[in-house]
């Protein structure tokens, strides 16, 4: 019986970003802002998008118009100047026949691809990091670009949408509207209900999304409207000039919100609005964040009048990959048979990892470098086999890395070609000791725009490899040679999958593991299980790599069949010490188990597959950023983005494994999608965690290898299939979306089914002595919210997610919870607030007993003196046992309002109703007033009959008073219809449920019924 290995964490898309700044390992096209001109912008169209000239034409029109709008919105500081549009290879030559060099889909700043299955054609920025950090890319769809009428009707001017998304992408801004069902309205410092908007001068009306009726009629009452209330702009009367991060579709909006008292008051920042910009940017305005960016900091790119902001466009076609393997064959590669290991995995790389149509060459080096093969296009198995046979197998001599790089360039330039955009994959195990060295040739590599990936083979590899990759836009990896490390295989695979562009020709790594057969203390066998899910199965391959003596393998299929040495799919390659099981056709979905037996030795197992035709697959991509530590107290944020296509995967189990220097054990970091700590947004498919367990070691440049696993071992993972508003930085449509209906939650998601994925997370290099003092505070709480208030009990119930002791790690010591009645002073100085203690807690968690990071904290707080017409503001921070103080949380507001006494709703059975009326009060509640008289034997008494006139007069008088108070009379039938709307029961109510609003050509927002 096979033994099950620990299930692998699965990532539909894994994006790793390390350190305080979110940076991709695969560097996006470098955009420069010089003399107010943005250059180097790359827009790439995916290969699955059908050829359509309108897409390219409209891209040019949109960016031309956006350039003018951006110049005005940045107060004459920036506009688009130089833009490249990259077409897929699948398109014809009618637009261009010029091939790209360094431009690729994976490194583009703006991508045009298939719609997100949840958000449809809504543009968005793939924003993973915190405030001020550049996003990954802007995602546009073909329909958004090609169907101009639809785009204008839905979002307004697409150029304005682009400027909004540029704010997310370039400057790390957040939306200034609510992106969830909550916080569309809030209580301001006057106790009034205010709209979450910026600026506060945006004119409009609060309307119920179900029926178009006015809501929030009496904001002075301090009663927040229900979740169906939304704010609709008045497109005719608006004078507000801000903000681009709010309703950018309004023609009057020309600025980002600011805090300059001498600037335009119509775009002044609304600091009290509980929107993502205030929450994540600590109440800074968009303009403040922008001025602190590299584009404008310290007066850079000061205002300049420009008469023509029209960009220049270059159109290119994607080109196949050109890769040169530059392999170390110096004497040290004999250690631990490194050359054998390299040859083995490089053979697998050439045979099964590099996509068809790519061109690959080989250079080997010791004290000199030798070209073993110029670029050879791989179009068949025979091409691959011929190239693999040229891999080096012998070692001798010192190490000259500079020599190898120059030879790699020579291969790329052979035949008069340009080296620009070519990839050199450099693998080396030692320090260079011959000239030319890295430093003397690096400038040439940069000037020729060669991309250099590096793999540090052992911790003895030259420390300059990491910097070489960073300076040339390449990837960097580390193979520790630990007994259970698969770092070399993962690195070779990642150099292709990171640049796959979602192509169906790019393999997907399901599993990469290493075990040791032990016939003495063990069973003499190792085994495991992998899952082939329904999105993959094409060209599935199992690899089993042994070290010394041949092993035997048995694979059990989900359908009960087996694959072994007698099967046609089973191949033994004795020259390279590997067994390959190549599954014919489409591998059936389900659990595939395997068993390996043989003499005592380590065995490495690698399993890969490709996506099925016309199906968005479960795909893994990895990114590592700013991995060279210079602080004596380093910390690394790790993010894993889990997607099916572009749709986020929720409730997956995601873990990062960080290999540390010998003899220290690896550390497992749980990555969570809970919107707490380093995780910016909950349930957006971005799983985040923090690594702090660096070790004090004698190695001058200690390297740490990061690997991410994602899986669904408990069948809980799911993807949303209907609109979920709170995910990522989406453009706000003219008609704001309504809430996600609770009654439909069972249909909002679908199960992914079990799956597993693995990916390399790259290398972290720490050239410092690690300090031992506790200097890390608990992370900032960003999801504080009010769940309930009670005027009678004088209590408020607050809820938040617990931070850790050291940012997201461990358990904090205590909470510092405070309140204030002055928002302005409270946001400026948290200590100005009145502290609350455990004596104030009547239910829930004590403030001196925080839960572990990620747990939900709830505390009901008693306030002794409550005033009903005062707004109270609350904030909280956590402290650790070393006295380190976390930053104050987001601030929430509440009022304590008395609840009117409710009279009996029924009359005694011996009562005759003589008059009744149903009324709607200004706070939207419905009141029914009934006047009755006592009866005797079913007949009103004489005294009571005399009272009828007075009773009727009472009702009439009451009605007059209510009219004066602007209370609407409603017939019982009207009330029944509205109750039907609320409950979704009546036919008319269901029809009204579909009521929405649209902007008409005369710029009025009017109700329409959806088709």
């Amino acid at each position: 019986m096979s033994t099950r290995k620990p299930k692998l964490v699965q990532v539909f898309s894994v994006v790793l970003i390390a350190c305080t700044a979110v940076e991709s390992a695969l560097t996006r096209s470098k955009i420069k802002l010089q003399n107010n001109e943005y250059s180097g912008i790359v827009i790439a169209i995916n290969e699955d998008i059908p050829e359509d000239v309108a897409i390219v034409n409209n891209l040019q029109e949109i960016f031309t118009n956006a350039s003018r709008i951006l110049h005005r919105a940045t107060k004459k500081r920036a506009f688009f100047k130089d833009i490249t549009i990259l077409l897929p290879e699948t398109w014809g030559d009618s637009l261009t026949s010029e091939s790209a060099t360094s431009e690729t889909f994976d490194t583009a700043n703006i991508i045009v691809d298939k719609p997100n299955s949840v958000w449809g054609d809504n543009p968005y920025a793939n924003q993973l990091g915190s405030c001020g950090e550049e996003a990954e890319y802007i995602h546009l769809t073909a329909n958004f670009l090609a169907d101009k009428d639809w785009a204008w009707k839905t979002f307004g001017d697409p150029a304005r949408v682009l400027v909004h998304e540029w704010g997310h992408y370039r400057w790390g801004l957040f939306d200034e509207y609510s992106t969830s069902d909550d916080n569309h309205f809030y209580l301001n410092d006057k106790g009034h209900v205010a709209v979450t908007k910026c600026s506060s001068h945006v004119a409009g009306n609060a309307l119920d999304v179900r029926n178009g009726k006015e809501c929030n009629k009496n904001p002075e009452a301090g009663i927040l409207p229900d979740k169906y209330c939304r704010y609709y702009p008045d497109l005719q009367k608006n004078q507000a000039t801000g903000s681009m991060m709010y309703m950018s579709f309004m023609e009057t909006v020309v600025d980002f919100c600011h805090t300059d008292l001498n600037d335009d008051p119509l775009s002044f920042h609304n600091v009290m609005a509980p929107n993502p910009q205030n929450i994540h940017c600590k109440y800074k305005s968009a303009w403040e964040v922008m001025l602190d960016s590299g584009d404008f900091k310290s007066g850079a790119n000061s205002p300049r009048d420009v008469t023509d902001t029209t960009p220049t466009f270059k159109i290119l076609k994607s080109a196949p990959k050109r890769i040169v393997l530059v392999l170390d064959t110096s004497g040290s590669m004999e250690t631990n048979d490194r050359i054998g290991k390299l040859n083995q995995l490089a053979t697998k790389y050439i045979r099964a990892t590099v996509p068809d149509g790519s061109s690959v060459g080989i250079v080997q080096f010791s004290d000199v470098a030798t070209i073993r093969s110029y670029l050879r296009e791989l179009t068949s198995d025979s091409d691959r086999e011929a190239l693999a046979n040229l891999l080096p197998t012998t070692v001798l001599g010192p190490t000259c890395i500079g020599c190898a790089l120059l030879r790699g360039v020579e291969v790329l330039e052979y035949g008069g070609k340009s080296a620009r955009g070519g990839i050199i994959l450099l693998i080396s195990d030692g320090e260079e000791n011959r000239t030319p060295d890295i430093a003397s040739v690096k400038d040439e590599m940069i000037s020729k725009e060669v991309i250099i990936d590096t793999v540090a083979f052992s911790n003895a590899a030259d420390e300059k490899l990491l910097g070489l990759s960073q300076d040339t836009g390449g990837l960097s990896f580390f193979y520790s040679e630990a007994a259970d490390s698969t770092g070399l295989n993962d690195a070779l695979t990642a150099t292709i999958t990171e640049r796959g562009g979602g192509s169906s020709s790019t393999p997907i790594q399901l599993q990469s593991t290493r075990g040791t057969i032990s016939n003495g203390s063990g069973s003499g066998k190792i085994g495991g299980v992998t899952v082939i899910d329904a999105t993959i199965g094409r060209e599935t391959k199992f690899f089993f790599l042994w070290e010394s003596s041949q092993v035997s393998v048995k694979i059990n299929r989900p359908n009960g069949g087996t694959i072994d040495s007698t099967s046609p799919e089973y191949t033994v390659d004795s020259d390279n010490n590997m067994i390959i099981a190549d599954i014919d056709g489409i591998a059936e979905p389900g659990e595939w188990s395997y068993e390996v037996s043989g003499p005592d030795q380590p065995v490495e197992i690698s399993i890969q597959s490709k996506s099925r035709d016309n199906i968005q697959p479960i795909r893994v991509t990895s990114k590592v950023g700013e991995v060279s530590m210079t602080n004596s107290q380093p910390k690394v944020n790790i993010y894993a983005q889990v997607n099916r296509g572009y749709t986020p995967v929720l409730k997956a189990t995601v873990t990062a494994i960080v290999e540390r220097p010998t003899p220290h054990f690896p550390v497992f970091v749980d990555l969570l999608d809970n919107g707490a700590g380093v995780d910016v947004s909950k349930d957006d498919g971005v799983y985040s965690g923090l690594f702090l367990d660096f070790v004090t070691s004698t190695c001058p440049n200690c390297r740490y290898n990061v690997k991410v696993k994602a899986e669904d071992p408990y069948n809980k993972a799911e993807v949303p299939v209907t609109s979920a508003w709170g995910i990522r930085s989406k453009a706000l449509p003219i008609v704001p979306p309504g809430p996600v209906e609770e009654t439909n939650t069972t249909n909002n998601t679908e199960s992914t089914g079990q799956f597993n994925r693995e990916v390399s997370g790259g290398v972290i290099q720490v050239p410092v002595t690690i300090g031992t003092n506790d200097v890390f505070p608990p992370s900032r709480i960003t999801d504080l919210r009010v769940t309930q208030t009670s005027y009678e009990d004088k209590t408020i119930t607050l809820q938040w997610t617990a931070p850790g002791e050291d940012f997201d790690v461990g358990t904090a010591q205590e909470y510092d919870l405070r309140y204030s009645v002055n928002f302005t002073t409270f946001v400026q100085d948290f200590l100005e607030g009145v502290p609350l203690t455990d004596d104030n807690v009547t239910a829930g968690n004590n403030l001196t007993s925080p839960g572990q990071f990620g747990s939900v904290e709830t505390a009901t707080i008693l306030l002794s003196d409550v005033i009903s017409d005062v707004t109270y503001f609350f904030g909280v921070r956590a402290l650790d046992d070393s006295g380190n103080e976390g930053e104050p949380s987001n601030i929430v507001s509440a009022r304590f309002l008395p609840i009117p006494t409710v009279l009996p709703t029924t009359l005694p059975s011996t009562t005759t109703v003589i008059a009744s009326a149903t009324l709607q009060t200004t706070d939207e509640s419905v009141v029914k007033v009934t006047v009755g008289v006592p009866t005797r034997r079913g007949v009103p008494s004489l005294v009571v009959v005399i009272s009828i006139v007075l009773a009727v007069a009472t009702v009439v008088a009451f009605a007059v008073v209510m009219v004066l108070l602007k209370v609407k009379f409603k017939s019982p039938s009207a009330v029944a219809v509205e109750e039907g709307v609320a409950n979704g029961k009546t036919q008319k109510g269901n029809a009204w449920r579909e009521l929405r609003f649209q902007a008409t050509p005369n710029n009025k927002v009017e109700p329409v019924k959806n088709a």
Side-chain angles (χ1 to χ4, degrees):
M1 179 178 293
S2 64
T3 58
R4 181 186 294 269
K5 301 289 286 184
K7 284 207 173 183
L8 302 179
V9 185
Q10 170 196 45
V11 180
F12 284 22
S13 257
V14 177
V15 182
L16 287 178
I17 303 98
C19 306
T20 55
V22 176
E23 262 183 47
S24 301
L26 190 61
T27 306
R28 294 274 164 183
S29 178
K30 293 182 180 179
I31 298 174
K32 296 179 181 180
L33 180 61
Q34 294 179 333
N35 195 30
N36 310 102
E37 301 174 352
Y38 278 120
S39 62
I41 299 170
V42 175
I43 308 169
I45 302 172
N46 190 271
E47 64 179 16
D48 291 332
I49 301 300
E51 184 170 353
D52 187 349
V53 175
I55 293 175
V56 178
N57 292 338
N58 289 340
L59 274 171
Q60 296 181 70
E61 178 183 334
I62 290 170
F63 272 83
T64 298
N65 294 334
S67 182
R68 180 189 72 261
I69 296 168
L70 182 66
H71 186 245
R72 171 63 181 85
T74 57
K75 306 182 191 302
K76 302 181 181 181
R77 286 172 167 83
F79 64 95
F80 299 134
K81 182 60 178 176
D82 172 35
I83 298 174
T84 297
I85 300 176
L86 184 65
L87 309 182
E89 289 183 73
T90 52
W91 285 27
D93 295 336
S94 61
L95 292 171
T96 184
S97 59
E98 184 178 355
S99 294
T101 50
S102 60
E103 300 85 0
T104 66
F105 182 86
D106 302 276
T107 58
N109 314 107
I110 298 98
I111 63 172
V112 180
D113 205 345
K114 298 176 290 293
N116 184 302
S117 63
V118 178
W119 315 305
D121 294 295
N122 196 319
Y124 68 88
N126 191 27
Q127 190 173 11
L128 308 182
S130 57
C131 180
E133 295 179 0
E134 190 169 301
E136 295 297 293
Y137 54 81
I138 295 173
H139 183 173
L140 306 176
T141 69
N143 190 54
F144 175 81
L145 295 169
D147 191 341
K148 295 173 66 174
D149 291 341
W150 173 85
W152 273 84
K153 178 181 176 180
T154 306
F155 299 103
D157 187 350
R160 290 177 164 272
V161 176
L162 181 61
V163 173
H164 173 93
E165 297 305 331
W166 189 261
H168 290 300
Y169 172 74
R170 184 66 178 180
W171 304 304
L173 304 179
F174 285 83
D175 293 316
E176 289 172 337
Y177 45 81
S178 176
T179 56
S180 67
D181 285 348
D182 302 320
N183 295 332
H184 289 272
F185 301 85
Y186 66 97
L187 295 174
N188 64 19
D189 51 358
K190 296 179 181 179
H192 300 170
V193 176
V195 180
T196 299
K197 58 183 178 179
C198 198
S199 73
S200 58
H201 292 279
V202 175
N205 300 287
L207 303 175
D208 191 308
V209 298
R210 297 165 298 177
N211 52 35
K213 295 187 177 182
E214 186 179 356
C215 50
N216 192 37
K217 295 178 183 177
N218 184 15
E220 293 79 10
I223 301 175
L224 291 170
D226 64 28
K227 67 178 182 178
Y228 297 101
C229 196
R230 293 290 187 271
Y231 194 66
Y232 292 81
D234 188 328
L235 300 181
Q236 289 181 316
K237 297 180 180 179
N238 249 300
Q239 296 180 349
T241 55
S243 164
M244 281 293 175
M245 300 311 294
Y246 183 50
M247 292 183 174
S248 60
F249 51 78
M250 294 194 304
E251 291 296 326
T252 61
V253 170
V254 293
D255 290 324
F256 291 91
C257 271
H258 63 82
T259 54
D260 187 349
L261 295 174
N262 297 317
D263 205 339
D264 185 356
L266 296 178
S267 54
F268 196 80
H269 180 55
N270 182 6
V271 70
M272 295 187 66
N275 54 37
Q277 172 67 23
N278 278 330
I279 291 172
H280 294 299
C281 296
K282 303 171 189 176
Y283 300 94
K284 288 184 178 180
S285 69
W287 186 242
E288 287 177 282
V289 175
M290 292 164 63
L291 288 180
D292 198 40
S293 71
D295 285 350
F296 310 121
K297 194 169 186 177
S298 302
N301 294 289
S302 56
R304 179 169 71 95
D305 288 324
V306 179
T307 57
D308 185 5
T309 59
T310 304
T312 58
F313 295 93
K314 179 191 294 183
I315 301 177
L316 303 174
K317 284 190 67 174
S318 296
K321 294 179 177 64
R322 296 177 299 145
I323 305 167
V324 182
L325 296 176
V326 178
L327 310 177
D328 192 342
T329 57
S330 62
S332 58
M333 286 294 290
E334 188 174 12
T335 306
N336 298 327
D337 191 28
R338 290 171 182 166
I339 189 64
K341 182 74 173 177
L342 175 59
N343 189 286
Q344 188 180 47
L345 288 170
T347 298
K348 171 182 172 292
Y349 172 85
I350 292 171
R351 284 177 175 172
T353 307
V354 180
D356 284 340
S358 303
S359 296
V360 180
I362 300 174
V363 170
Q364 71 176 60
F365 71 95
S366 53
D367 57 339
V368 295
T370 304
I371 298 173
R372 296 188 64 88
S373 175
Y374 287 98
L375 291 177
R376 180 175 299 195
E377 185 178 5
L378 304 181
T379 59
S380 65
D381 289 343
S382 59
D383 292 334
R384 296 174 182 274
E385 203 61 37
L387 185 64
N389 289 334
L390 296 175
L391 289 167
T393 58
T394 59
V395 300
L396 182 66
T399 304
C400 180
I401 296 178
C403 302
L405 294 173
L406 293 174
R407 281 286 184 266
V409 170
E410 183 180 336
V411 171
L412 291 171
E413 293 180 335
Y414 182 75
K417 301 290 181 64
S418 169
R420 183 175 184 261
I423 300 169
I424 291 177
L425 175 50
L426 171 65
I427 304 176
S428 178
D429 76 330
E431 293 187 0
E432 55 184 351
N433 47 31
R434 291 292 186 273
T435 58
D437 57 11
I438 292 174
S440 63
V441 303
K442 183 192 288 188
D443 286 345
E444 181 177 348
M445 301 295 114
I446 295 172
S447 67
K448 290 180 179 290
E449 298 186 52
V450 177
I451 300 165
I452 303 175
D453 296 341
T454 60
V455 180
F457 199 135
S458 83
N459 208 47
D462 200 289
E463 65 184 49
K464 294 186 286 295
L465 295 181
L466 175 61
L468 179 63
S469 291
Q470 290 179 318
D471 292 342
T472 59
L475 303 165
S476 54
F477 303 94
F478 169 55
Y479 174 46
S480 66
E481 296 185 290
D484 56 353
S485 177
T486 59
L488 183 56
N489 175 67
D490 298 339
L492 288 167
T493 302
T495 62
I496 297 299
T497 57
E498 287 283 343
R499 298 183 173 96
S503 172
S504 59
S505 64
T506 304
I508 298 165
Q509 182 166 283
L510 309 183
Q511 188 176 113
S512 177
T513 187
R514 187 174 172 87
T516 300
I517 298 174
S518 176
N519 289 277
S521 58
S523 64
K525 299 177 181 179
I526 58 173
V529 173
T530 194
V531 175
I532 306 293
D533 57 82
T535 68
I536 56 174
R538 188 170 54 88
E539 297 183 33
T540 302
K541 301 179 189 295
F542 290 69
F543 296 89
F544 302 88
L545 293 77
W546 72 84
E547 284 198 355
S548 55
S549 302
Q550 184 173 328
V551 298
S552 61
V553 174
K554 179 181 179 181
I555 300 173
N556 298 307
R557 309 176 73 125
N559 61 11
T562 60
I563 298 173
D564 56 22
S565 59
T566 64
S567 304
E569 302 99 327
Y570 189 103
T571 302
V572 178
D573 180 359
S574 300
D575 294 334
N576 294 290
N577 291 1
M578 70 172 72
I579 293 173
I580 306 102
D582 194 344
I583 310 303
D584 290 334
I586 303 296
E588 62 266 28
E591 287 192 344
W592 292 63
S593 63
Y594 56 84
E595 185 178 86
V596 187
S597 58
D600 293 1
Q601 61 184 313
V603 177
E604 188 162 335
I605 299 104
S606 176
I607 305 169
Q608 67 183 44
S609 187
K610 292 182 180 179
S611 63
R612 296 190 181 204
D613 293 335
N614 303 316
I615 292 180
Q616 292 194 8
I618 302 167
R619 189 174 293 281
V620 178
T621 60
S622 65
K623 300 178 181 179
V624 179
E626 200 177 335
V627 293
S628 182
M629 304 289 106
T630 57
N631 195 316
S632 62
Q633 299 282 358
K635 62 184 180 70
V636 174
N637 298 346
I638 302 175
Y639 304 86
Q641 189 168 355
V642 186
N643 287 340
R644 187 175 72 187
Y646 290 105
T647 303
V649 176
L650 313 180
K651 300 180 183 178
T653 301
V654 186
T655 308
I657 302 97
V658 183
E659 296 178 21
R660 303 188 296 171
T662 305
H664 301 279
F665 291 108
V667 171
F668 293 75
V669 181
D670 291 331
L671 307 184
L672 304 177
D673 184 15
N674 61 354
V678 298
D679 191 64
V680 175
S681 301
K682 182 178 180 179
D683 291 340
D684 64 350
V686 178
Y687 295 75
S688 313
L690 184 68
F691 175 69
L692 298 174
D693 295 315
F694 293 92
V695 299
T696 301
S697 181
T698 57
C699 49
N701 283 278
C702 291
R703 294 180 172 100
Y704 296 72
N705 183 55
V706 182
K707 183 175 187 174
V708 168
K709 300 182 178 181
E711 65 178 347
D712 179 27
Y714 310 112
N715 253 328
K716 292 183 177 181
E718 59 190 21
V719 291
V721 294
T722 59
S723 180
W725 178 245
I727 301 177
R728 294 205 190 131
S729 306
K730 301 196 304 181
L732 180 67
I734 296 174
V735 179
V740 177
E741 300 288 348
E742 290 90 342
T743 55
N744 293 332
T745 52
T746 56
N747 299 321
N748 285 339
T749 60
E750 66 180 18
S751 173
T752 62
Q754 289 188 316
F755 63 87
N756 54 260
R757 297 290 188 274
E758 298 193 21
V759 66
S760 170
V763 59
I764 305 167
Q765 193 162 301
V766 188
V768 293
T769 301
I770 305 302
T772 57
N773 295 332
D774 181 6
V775 298
F776 295 130
S779 56
R780 178 174 177 256
I781 297 167
T782 59
D783 62 350
L784 178 66
R785 67 189 189 99
V786 179
T787 61
Q788 187 176 0
T789 59
S790 172
Y791 176 82
E792 287 71 22
D793 297 334
K794 295 179 171 35
T795 59
I796 181 171
T797 301
L798 300 169
Q799 191 175 90
W800 65 91
T801 303
E805 177 186 21
D806 297 330
F807 294 109
D808 297 357
V809 178
T811 304
Q813 180 74 13
E814 62 178 316
Y815 291 115
D816 181 7
L817 177 64
R818 296 173 183 259
Y819 77 92
S820 175
V821 295
N822 189 315
F823 177 88
T824 302
T825 57
F826 196 36
V827 77
Q828 293 173 349
D829 183 6
F830 179 75
L831 297 180
E832 180 275 342
V834 178
L836 298 165
T837 67
D838 281 344
D839 293 337
N840 299 96
V841 179
T842 63
N845 301 85
N846 286 332
L847 301 178
T848 53
S849 302
Q852 187 177 8
F853 169 73
S855 59
V856 177
E857 306 276 45
T858 302
T860 300
I861 306 297
L862 172 67
L863 300 179
S864 56
D865 297 318
V866 169
I867 303 174
S868 62
D869 60 349
V870 171
T871 304
Y872 292 81
F873 301 97
F874 295 84
V876 65
R877 65 177 180 175
L879 290 74
D880 68 13
D881 55 8
S882 297
N884 296 310
E885 302 168 344
E887 293 184 282
S889 70
N890 61 301
I891 295 174
V892 295
S893 60
R895 285 184 65 183
F896 297 83
L897 300 175
I899 301 176
T901 303
V902 179
L903 298 176
T905 59
T906 59
L907 297 174
S909 59
T910 58
T911 301
T912 297
V913 176
I914 62 171
S916 69
T918 302
L919 313 104
Q920 182 181 16
T921 64
T922 53
D923 65 355
E924 304 299 303
S925 60
V926 175
V927 178
K928 185 174 184 178
V929 179
T930 304
V931 178
V933 296
T935 61
R936 181 180 299 170
R937 297 179 182 177
V939 180
S941 64
L942 179 61
V943 175
V944 173
V945 170
I946 297 174
S947 304
I948 291 177
V949 175
L950 295 176
V952 173
T954 301
V955 172
V956 172
F958 182 81
V960 171
V961 172
M962 293 298 101
V963 170
L964 292 176
L965 293 176
K966 297 182 179 180
V967 178
K968 295 180 181 178
F969 283 80
K970 295 187 178 182
S971 68
S973 60
V975 174
V977 169
E978 289 197 359
E979 289 175 349
V981 173
N983 299 324
K985 294 179 179 178
T986 68
Q987 182 177 357
K988 190 171 183 180
N990 283 330
W992 286 14
R993 194 181 274 279
E994 298 301 316
L995 198 63
R996 292 296 185 266
F997 310 87
Q998 71 176 4
T1000 60
N1002 60 2
N1003 284 332
K1004 291 183 179 180
V1005 177
E1006 297 179 351
V1008 296
K1009 289 187 178 181
N1010 292 342

